Amino acid sequence: MEKNVQSAFQFESQQLKKFAAEIDRQLIRLHSVPRYRGDDLTEQALEDSRERNRENLAIAEKEPYFGRLDFKEAGQEEAAPLYIGKAGVSEGESGEAMIIDWRAPVASLFYSFTGGEDEVWYMAPEGMIEGDIFLKRNLVIRDRNLQRVVDTYEQGKENAGAADEFLLYRLGDRKDNRLRDIVSTIQAEQNDMIRASRDTALIIQGVAGSGKTTVALHRLAFLLYEYREKMLAEQMIIFAPNAMFLDYISNVLPELGVGDIQQTTFSKWALLKLGGRLKEKPADWQQWFEPGLKRTESGSAEPGRVKGSLDYMNAIDEALQLFIRNGMPQKDFEPWNGMVLKQKVIQKWYIEDFREYPAVKIRELISAKIKQWISKELDKIWEKKVQKEMKTKAGQRFRAYMKTWPELDVLAVYRQLLSAESVRERLSDEIVQQTFKNLKKKEAAHEDLAPLMHIHLTLNGLEKGERYHHIVIDEAQDFSPYQIAVLQKLSLKNSFTILGDLSQGIHSNVGINAWEEIMPVFSNGKLACRELERSYRTTMEIIEFANRVLSAAYKPAVLAKPVFRTGEGVTVTQEDDPIAFIKNWIAERKAASASSLAIVCRTARDGEEFFTKLHENGVDVHLVREGQEGYQGGISIIPVYLTKGLEFDAVLIVDADAENYQQTASDAKLLYVGCTRALHSLTLIYSKHASPLITA
Ligand SMILES: Nc1ncnc2c1ncn2[C@@H]1O[C@H](COP(=O)(O)OP(=O)(O)OP(=O)(O)O)[C@@H](O)[C@H]1O
């Protein structure tokens, strides 16, 4: 260790001891105070504050901080060292900030500052604060042990490259089975996105491994800190492609001290909102990912693309409004002969008095109002016997009248709309017939969930407090514009983080091909589009290989730029006996201390076959199947389309043959997804002829 590094290390070790002792003191004190569970509001507020302290101290206990920034505010005499951690902790006696929360305004300097002697600034609630940075130091602490001190900037000294070195050190770490937080190494461009203001729909197009998912989760933690009075975790929601992916990312938010955020898939969410009486018709992914299938790219007549478009949404909307308007009875109501409630009066209630209400509520309100009108008119009849007769008659006629006003049931209404001209002309007969068939069986294809939700929301409106304070859509390239528009109706202030990568758009039968397709959804609010071009997940060798695969049949707007992390070269070989090869590969990778290994096959059926053969050969692996809830890690056999969003220490693609991966954009994207899952090692084997995507 160099002398000055050593003294910095000694100094920081001492500091750590002091901080740790103070944290312990506070924890002991807080644990000695019994929890207050009474009704006194002042006591409750004090208990809440103690609870927040307990939570923060629990986060800070093992790893109190990860960074130090010496910042001299303009007008101050000296630079103050600011220690930055996952949670803010104040000094017990003085109440002064001891550890600064990474989300605090001043901490943004730690991420945005990349060197230079110029004055820096950050925005505090009281306005812009300017000053100078003297030192930026990264500290690695594990279980209260200081392990590393790296100065990535020291005023007047040459530290070029130290920041990258530190990032590489963190990226080179072996990971466990789950995505982790990145608070210590958030990059400047990621920091801007994390701290984007809440009333902005932020679309992030990022290359594979650029940290999109991670950034979105950190943005949630930031928003909850920055707008703690206004945004609630329970009112935030994350949409992800599947339950296994949600399990895979499930560690990050708790690591950041955030709980209670809803996490789901669009289908699960929609089926629940629709009252749980529908089932989703399982998509035939085996057929969709069958090699050689001429998959469509854009503008095709695929049901998913037609029904997922904003054009279809507009047609549904138009037909729905017409249906609602024409739905009410077009004739006068006559409870008994000679007594008439004019249709015009009922229409006036509809159009003027109740115009703020959704259709289902209006029907209820008008029904109640007619009943009221009947009883008022009955009261005017003196003769009890006659009154009774009229009452019976009125009841019968009222029921008959209301029968002519169909109940606004979502499925029934969708069936009606499918026959409306504006909707009908956009769909082929085959699609319409299939949709009727599904609905009859109380099933909905994936692409029908957005229209059904649209109808549901229009008919029933939104309950108070039903709007989301923030919505995250991960892998958004696989969402349809219609789905996103439905979610927008439920959002408060357009607060969205939408992330995806068009180069990984492997569900082109349902998803989008260009971000412009969803921009009209946000036309009446703030919208920001950002790009992430650097890939942090994988090595230079792997990214360069994956870029070649992709470019062989698809031209992305940008290709991923690797961080300067080198590793082993990508291996491509012809193998006659893949099972023997896999056995060796597993042993080799384990010897190289890889913990998560993926054996990637083209389709789910191929996965089943490899799984059976490996088991027969005594190899213990698990098969990842569609619909699986949990993510296990370890050694997985997994169809390539299910690897999206995940990462593994080592990846082996076992069937990189020409027949499996042809020179088409969709196959190039699929193989690109498979290749970019690898953190450290990528191997491809084929049995006869290598795919043109890897030889191009
Ligand atoms: N600033 C960073 N510091 C350290 N690691 C980072 C950083 N940004 C991203 N990573 C790491 O890069 C990997 C990829 O991150 P993530 O899965 O969020 O990317 P992604 O863009 O969503 O990927 P993909 O689209 O390929 O699924 C993760 O291991 C993450 O921890």
Side-chain angles (χ1 to χ4, degrees):
M1 239 187 250
E2 276 178 45
K3 199 157 170 272
N4 57 344
V5 175
Q6 196 178 7
S7 62
F9 194 90
Q10 276 164 355
F11 175 81
E12 295 299 349
S13 297
Q14 291 305 321
Q15 285 293 92
L16 179 58
K17 276 196 192 120
K18 281 193 223 155
F19 277 97
E22 173 61 18
I23 288 171
D24 286 345
R25 251 195 309 278
Q26 293 196 29
L27 273 171
I28 291 169
R29 212 194 53 227
L30 278 170
H31 286 311
S32 70
V33 182
R35 292 187 192 233
Y36 181 76
R37 308 209 190 273
D39 301 333
D40 187 289
L41 291 180
T42 318
E43 284 298 330
Q44 278 175 0
L46 286 171
E47 180 57 37
D48 285 350
S49 150
R50 281 195 296 273
E51 183 55 25
R52 265 197 307 279
N53 277 345
R54 273 185 214 111
E55 283 167 8
N56 284 353
L57 288 164
I59 293 173
E61 200 182 357
K62 288 199 173 140
E63 188 193 330
Y65 43 82
F66 52 80
R68 172 179 153 180
L69 190 77
D70 290 7
F71 176 62
K72 186 164 92 62
E73 206 175 302
Q76 302 276 334
E77 293 276 299
E78 283 186 0
L82 306 171
Y83 283 88
I84 297 161
K86 274 189 201 163
V89 177
S90 303
E91 219 267 321
E93 297 282 301
S94 64
E96 276 183 23
M98 187 172 94
I99 299 168
I100 311 276
D101 191 298
W102 66 276
R103 298 164 290 186
V106 67
S108 86
L109 288 175
F110 185 75
Y111 301 113
S112 59
F113 179 71
T114 48
E117 311 253 316
D118 293 346
E119 219 175 41
V120 295
W121 58 271
Y122 68 93
M123 284 310 285
E126 56 277 18
M128 187 195 282
I129 309 275
E130 290 171 303
D132 293 296
I133 287 175
F134 287 80
L135 177 75
K136 181 176 161 183
R137 175 169 285 172
N138 285 85
L139 300 139
V140 179
I141 300 170
R142 285 210 180 109
D143 286 333
R144 287 198 171 187
N145 285 316
L146 183 64
Q147 302 204 323
R148 212 177 167 95
V149 175
V150 181
D151 289 344
T152 49
Y153 174 79
E154 195 177 350
Q155 204 176 71
K157 292 223 174 119
E158 191 57 60
N159 292 88
D164 281 350
E165 243 173 67
F166 186 73
L167 174 65
L168 291 188
Y169 159 74
R170 299 268 27 183
L171 293 175
D173 268 2
R174 294 279 159 190
K175 310 267 171 85
D176 62 7
N177 288 337
R178 298 224 166 4
L179 198 66
R180 310 307 308 245
D181 78 78
I182 56 159
V183 278
S184 64
T185 49
I186 292 171
Q187 300 297 289
E189 76 269 19
Q190 296 174 324
N191 186 45
D192 286 346
M193 296 173 198
I194 290 169
R195 288 170 194 262
S197 87
R198 70 162 172 161
D199 55 351
T200 307
L202 181 65
I203 300 180
I204 305 174
Q205 155 62 44
V207 299
S210 55
K212 297 179 293 294
T213 304
T214 315
V215 164
L217 299 175
H218 285 67
R219 187 177 183 210
L220 288 171
F222 170 78
L223 291 171
L224 284 171
Y225 176 90
E226 178 74 7
Y227 304 98
R228 45 194 165 287
E229 308 296 327
K230 299 181 185 127
M231 297 180 96
L232 299 174
E234 311 85 77
Q235 294 294 110
M236 294 179 158
I237 187 161
I238 302 172
F239 288 94
N242 55 56
M244 182 178 63
F245 178 79
L246 285 168
D247 188 31
Y248 165 71
I249 65 171
S250 60
N251 273 358
V252 181
L253 289 173
E255 276 174 350
L256 295 172
V258 172
D260 295 336
I261 291 183
Q262 301 172 57
Q263 306 182 24
T264 187
T265 62
F266 187 86
S267 304
K268 201 168 166 198
W269 170 83
L271 293 172
L272 198 70
K273 290 266 170 199
L274 290 166
R277 61 203 182 105
L278 264 182
K279 276 200 308 212
E280 184 177 10
K281 190 177 160 60
D284 191 351
W285 294 124
Q286 177 63 38
Q287 200 247 330
W288 173 250
F289 288 112
E290 200 68 62
L293 186 73
K294 279 240 165 307
R295 286 201 299 279
T296 41
E297 297 302 334
S298 63
S300 76
E302 280 285 335
R305 294 197 63 76
V306 179
K307 286 183 177 167
S309 68
L310 294 183
D311 176 59
Y312 186 64
M313 179 181 86
N314 293 335
I316 290 282
D317 202 50
E318 190 187 305
L320 182 57
Q321 297 305 337
L322 205 68
F323 176 83
I324 291 172
R325 227 175 305 132
N326 295 342
M328 66 173 286
Q330 301 298 316
K331 50 183 193 209
D332 300 339
F333 173 57
E334 200 176 345
W336 54 87
N337 294 349
M339 176 56 64
V340 175
L341 176 60
K342 289 274 185 207
Q343 199 267 349
K344 270 201 183 129
V345 175
I346 302 176
Q347 198 169 25
K348 183 184 156 292
W349 294 342
Y350 195 118
I351 296 171
E352 291 177 18
D353 302 6
F354 302 137
R355 70 171 181 281
E356 300 295 328
Y357 293 94
V360 166
K361 188 79 193 156
I362 295 182
R363 190 178 180 279
E364 272 170 36
L365 288 168
I366 289 187
S367 157
K369 198 147 172 152
I370 298 177
K371 278 191 195 158
Q372 243 176 23
W373 175 84
I374 297 173
S375 71
K376 245 198 210 156
E377 294 306 322
L378 285 172
D379 283 349
K380 292 179 193 163
I381 304 173
W382 288 103
E383 185 87 39
K384 286 289 163 214
K385 196 166 154 255
V386 179
Q387 192 191 49
K388 206 172 159 201
E389 269 170 32
M390 294 307 140
K391 192 174 175 187
T392 314
K393 180 139 272 164
Q396 285 161 356
R397 290 196 181 176
F398 172 72
R399 282 190 293 279
Y401 185 79
M402 288 308 289
K403 261 198 189 146
T404 63
W405 191 349
E407 287 232 28
L408 298 166
D409 168 74
V410 176
L411 294 192
V413 172
Y414 191 33
R415 259 187 241 118
Q416 291 284 333
L417 302 188
L418 285 169
S419 312
E421 204 186 313
S422 58
V423 176
R424 192 68 191 76
E425 68 190 10
R426 283 166 171 84
L427 305 174
S428 68
D429 288 346
E430 198 192 334
I431 295 181
V432 173
Q433 289 320 317
Q434 187 57 50
T435 315
F436 278 133
K437 246 195 227 164
N438 295 342
L439 294 175
K440 203 167 171 201
K441 286 194 280 178
K442 296 264 186 290
E443 278 187 347
H446 184 68
E447 59 269 17
D448 286 313
L449 292 174
L452 287 167
M453 273 306 296
H454 176 187
I455 297 167
H456 169 75
L457 291 173
T458 312
L459 296 182
N460 296 291
L462 281 173
E463 292 290 325
K464 201 165 173 271
E466 218 183 326
R467 283 184 197 278
Y468 294 111
H469 294 182
H470 192 78
I471 300 176
V472 170
I473 305 178
D474 203 348
E475 304 287 354
Q477 73 280 357
D478 296 338
F479 268 64
S480 71
Y482 201 165
Q483 287 176 326
I484 292 177
V486 164
L487 295 178
Q488 194 276 340
K489 290 178 199 297
L490 282 153
S491 89
L492 199 67
K493 290 179 176 282
N494 254 352
S495 193
F496 271 91
T497 311
I498 297 172
L499 35 135
D501 179 12
L502 297 177
S503 299
Q504 296 181 65
I506 58 174
H507 294 280
S508 60
N509 54 338
V510 289
I512 57 172
N513 292 310
W515 295 112
E516 285 73 16
E517 290 177 36
I518 60 167
M519 287 186 191
V521 172
F522 303 105
S523 57
N524 48 10
K526 271 206 252 167
L527 171 70
C529 303
R530 298 277 179 274
E531 260 185 86
L532 285 172
E533 294 183 5
R534 285 222 291 172
S535 180
Y536 298 97
R537 173 179 298 129
T538 192
T539 60
M540 285 174 72
E541 290 80 359
I542 295 173
I543 272 295
E544 279 160 12
F545 179 85
N547 280 345
R548 280 201 302 279
V549 164
L550 184 66
S551 310
Y554 175 72
K555 291 279 158 277
V558 285
L559 280 171
K561 295 183 183 52
V563 287
F564 196 81
R565 179 161 82 89
T566 52
E568 33 180 285
V570 176
T571 319
V572 182
T573 53
Q574 189 274 330
E575 294 297 331
D576 290 328
D577 184 352
I579 299 298
F581 185 88
I582 294 171
K583 276 171 95 170
N584 276 338
W585 177 81
I586 292 174
E588 255 175 42
R589 288 297 122 201
K590 277 189 166 169
S593 64
S595 66
S596 60
L597 307 182
I599 299 157
V600 178
C601 321
R602 172 63 207 230
T603 68
R605 195 189 310 115
D606 300 332
E608 300 274 357
E609 282 171 17
F610 269 103
F611 177 68
T612 311
K613 280 190 200 149
L614 282 168
H615 261 250
E616 283 166 4
N617 281 272
V619 186
D620 189 19
V621 290
H622 60 261
L623 176 65
V624 178
R625 294 186 169 92
E626 173 82 38
Q628 179 171 319
E629 299 262 316
Y631 175 69
Q632 248 177 289
I635 310 172
S636 317
I637 298 193
I638 180 166
V640 62
Y641 76 94
L642 285 182
T643 64
K644 203 144 57 72
L646 307 178
E647 64 188 21
F648 308 88
D649 286 329
V651 169
L652 168 63
I653 294 175
V654 283
D655 47 11
D657 286 79
E659 64 191 32
N660 286 328
Y661 295 99
Q662 304 184 354
Q663 198 156 7
T664 61
S666 35
D667 279 2
K669 289 180 188 176
L670 204 55
L671 191 53
Y672 176 75
V673 167
C675 293
T676 51
R677 301 306 99 198
L679 285 156
H680 308 291
S681 152
L682 174 64
T683 307
L684 297 94
I685 57 172
Y686 57 93
S687 55
K688 289 196 187 90
H689 303 288
S691 157
L693 298 170
I694 54 183
T695 52

